[in-house]
Amino acid sequence: MNRWISNELLAAFDSEGTTAHRLFTSPSAWVERLGDDVLISHKTDAARDALCAGVQEWAQRANFAISRVFTRFLPRQNAERVSPVLAWGAPSLPLEMVVTERGVRYGIDFGAGYSAGLFIDQRANRAYVRARAPKRLLNTFSYTCSFSLVAALGGAQTVSVDLSKKSLDRGRANFALNGLSTDGHRFIADDVLDVLPRLVRRGDQFDAIILDPPTFSRGNKGRRWQVEEQIGTLLHAALELAAPGASVLISTNCTKLDRTALERTARFALKMVRRGGEFHYEAALPDFPAGEGARTLWLHLK
Ligand SMILES: C[S@@+](CC[C@H](N)C(=O)[O-])C[C@H]1O[C@@H](n2cnc3c(N)ncnc32)[C@H](O)[C@@H]1O
């Protein structure tokens, strides 16, 4: 905590083709690099002001040429979320740009709302999907389809499900950015809880399933989604779509769900569907202090 990443780690990211990563983390703020731009996410104005100065000092030490600095307030309530604000740099530059993660290209849009387009704390899980090269991937709560993209680059057929048509359109654009056709890939703009039973009725099966829901949202007909209460139901429904030997990612930002709670949920769901499975955890990210970022668990089914 309270440390900027080292010049060695910055060089390692550059040499692996990753331009989207954390630069700094503290209890009141964090800083991300997104290409040549920097995004400061802050809980207080004091933390923002200190980091606006701090990031310039870091850039000098690291010999890094910052193009722009954006800041974003981290509110307690989702309803208070707003787009990042340009704090430093040329207002004439486009708000849309491209970052890379291990050479894969992702569109970023600082004008698209609170989230700019890529959750960098899922980097290891995306690499894991790429390495496992599933043939059929179901990406629920898919946002801009980053998991679908890495699976498709490995030859998978993918199904991405998100309430937001705009996010799915950005997912399609991410395919195009990497020279991939979307033929044979499905993008379903609907509520995951309504889509899963439909896929079961169709007899669909998947080798990898991504469950990375928000902590809270409103689905079809204003239906309330609360991850602590519904993660078990979601996993149970997803297991019906998991082929033998499938891998299921369970991931959450909800601070009330720790690793033990995720394992308990997974064991219970396995018992309900009378299937066996093993847990796997990806290694911690070098730019995230312990305990920061999403809590995630891979479940490998027998
Ligand atoms: C935390 S983001 C998922 C991030 C994504 N897994 C990634 O790594 O890029 C949550 C997404 O869930 C979507 N969402 C929220 N409630 C939903 C629901 N009931 N059904 C489908 N999508 C939903 C939101 O539109 C948002 O794109």
Side-chain angles (χ1 to χ4, degrees):
M1 284 280 194
N2 289 341
R3 278 230 206 110
W4 293 89
I5 67 164
S6 65
N7 289 358
E8 290 73 28
L9 184 53
L10 182 67
F13 279 130
D14 276 334
S15 63
E16 73 167 30
T18 294
T19 65
H21 54 80
R22 277 265 173 115
L23 292 174
F24 174 90
T25 309
S26 78
S28 56
W30 68 76
V31 184
E32 288 160 320
R33 168 199 180 184
L34 294 167
D36 296 336
D37 296 322
V38 162
L39 174 61
I40 299 172
S41 299
H42 59 94
K43 293 181 186 163
T44 64
D45 290 354
R48 176 198 61 201
D49 296 346
L51 283 170
C52 279
V55 75
Q56 300 289 359
E57 288 162 22
W58 166 80
Q60 277 213 332
R61 285 198 304 275
N63 199 19
F64 182 90
I66 297 178
S67 173
R68 294 173 292 187
V69 177
F70 290 88
T71 66
R72 174 180 77 160
F73 177 58
L74 297 166
R76 284 181 191 278
Q77 305 291 331
N78 281 1
E80 293 165 20
R81 290 177 165 188
V82 290
S83 290
V85 175
L86 180 67
W88 184 86
S92 54
L93 290 173
L95 292 175
E96 291 184 40
M97 38 80 83
V98 173
V99 296
T100 57
E101 184 179 274
R102 298 193 176 170
V104 180
R105 291 158 63 78
Y106 298 92
I108 295 293
D109 184 354
F110 288 108
Y114 181 75
S115 299
L118 184 68
F119 287 98
I120 60 177
D121 57 349
Q122 295 291 357
R123 187 189 316 126
N125 289 323
R126 279 187 288 268
Y128 193 62
V129 167
R130 184 88 198 255
R132 285 190 79 83
K135 288 203 165 61
R136 300 159 296 181
L137 173 116
L138 171 61
N139 187 6
T140 67
F141 307 95
S142 61
Y143 186 46
T144 54
C145 308
S146 66
F147 281 104
S148 315
L149 174 60
V150 286
L153 285 168
Q157 284 201 318
T158 66
V159 177
S160 304
V161 186
D162 200 286
L163 273 178
S164 162
K165 191 182 167 300
K166 265 193 193 157
S167 295
L168 293 173
D169 287 344
R170 292 182 71 190
R172 286 191 185 87
N174 277 334
F175 274 57
L177 265 181
N178 290 277
L180 268 186
S181 159
T182 51
D183 289 354
H185 298 278
R186 295 172 65 203
F187 298 84
I188 305 174
D190 205 343
D191 189 322
V192 167
L193 296 180
D194 290 334
V195 173
L196 294 188
R198 287 211 299 268
L199 297 178
V200 171
R201 282 198 295 277
R202 276 169 52 109
D204 286 354
Q205 290 274 283
F206 298 92
D207 311 300
I209 300 179
I210 307 298
L211 305 175
D212 178 26
T215 300
F216 177 82
S217 81
R218 294 268 175 203
N220 281 348
K221 299 186 185 134
R223 182 169 54 203
R224 192 170 166 272
W225 163 267
Q226 179 81 51
V227 70
E228 288 158 80
E229 291 162 17
Q230 282 151 291
I231 186 83
T233 314
L234 175 71
L235 178 58
H236 187 258
L239 288 182
E240 293 199 57
L241 293 161
S247 306
V248 180
L249 175 68
I250 310 163
S251 178
T252 181
N253 280 309
C254 174
T255 45
K256 290 183 191 147
L257 287 173
D258 59 10
R259 193 176 264 201
T260 315
L262 290 183
E263 283 191 7
R264 201 185 311 119
T265 303
R267 280 204 192 88
F268 185 72
L270 284 173
K271 209 168 161 187
M272 296 288 284
V273 296
R274 298 178 184 205
R275 289 179 75 171
E278 284 170 3
F279 301 141
H280 165 88
Y281 293 97
E282 269 306 276
L285 293 164
D287 49 335
F288 280 72
E292 280 288 315
R295 275 155 297 287
T296 66
L297 159 71
W298 280 98
L299 171 59
H300 294 308
L301 290 157
K302 294 253 157 66

